[in-house]
Amino acid sequence: MNRFTGTRSKGAAAAGRRSRAALRALAAAATGAALAVSVTSATATAAPAAIPPGLSCHTGKHAVDDYTGFALCRNNGSRTQTFWVHLVCGWSPDVDGNRVTLRPGESGQSTAHCGSLGTGIGEIHVRP
């Protein structure tokens, strides 16, 4: 509404206000997305949890699929051990991989896959 004439705004002035409101909303969404990416990036670089005693493990993401993670472990202990990989999946629910039982001296791999709706793998843990 024009304060001086008491008439409603029409045409380019009203469209300009709508455009500015849309730009403000877009800027707010972009800022939120940038903050989410920086939080996810910080999580992705976090150190994995301690590996169970007696196991030596290598963890990582699949070479072509950022949603699939693995734990490749060797049992260096003197007794049979079971382990599995646990993936922290960002916005999707966390997942556990298949349980692998290793006798002394054996090696094995556990894999898991995060839901594709989320942000991918944030952390990889080996669970006993």
Side-chain angles (χ1 to χ4, degrees):
M1 173 113 84
N2 189 329
R3 292 183 189 170
F4 298 109
T5 63
T7 58
R8 292 190 182 269
S9 299
K10 294 182 181 176
R17 283 191 199 99
R18 277 180 269 161
S19 296
R20 277 183 257 138
L23 285 173
R24 274 189 238 118
L26 180 62
T31 302
L35 289 173
V37 167
S38 63
V39 168
T40 304
S41 297
T43 304
T45 59
I51 295 172
L55 292 176
S56 61
C57 299
H58 172 72
T59 61
K61 294 179 186 178
H62 190 276
V64 231
D65 181 8
D66 284 338
Y67 291 86
T68 301
F70 66 89
L72 176 62
C73 296
R74 176 175 175 81
N75 184 353
N76 294 327
S78 58
R79 61 185 176 91
T80 300
Q81 293 198 26
T82 300
F83 75 95
W84 61 91
V85 68
H86 175 79
L87 304 180
V88 178
C89 296
W91 293 348
S92 293
D94 297 349
V95 292
D96 289 330
N98 54 313
R99 268 99 173 129
V100 178
T101 301
L102 301 175
R103 293 187 302 241
E106 288 185 331
S107 296
Q109 180 173 321
S110 175
T111 59
H113 186 80
C114 289
S116 59
L117 185 60
T119 56
I121 298 171
E123 294 179 16
I124 302 174
H125 302 274
V126 178
R127 299 281 169 92

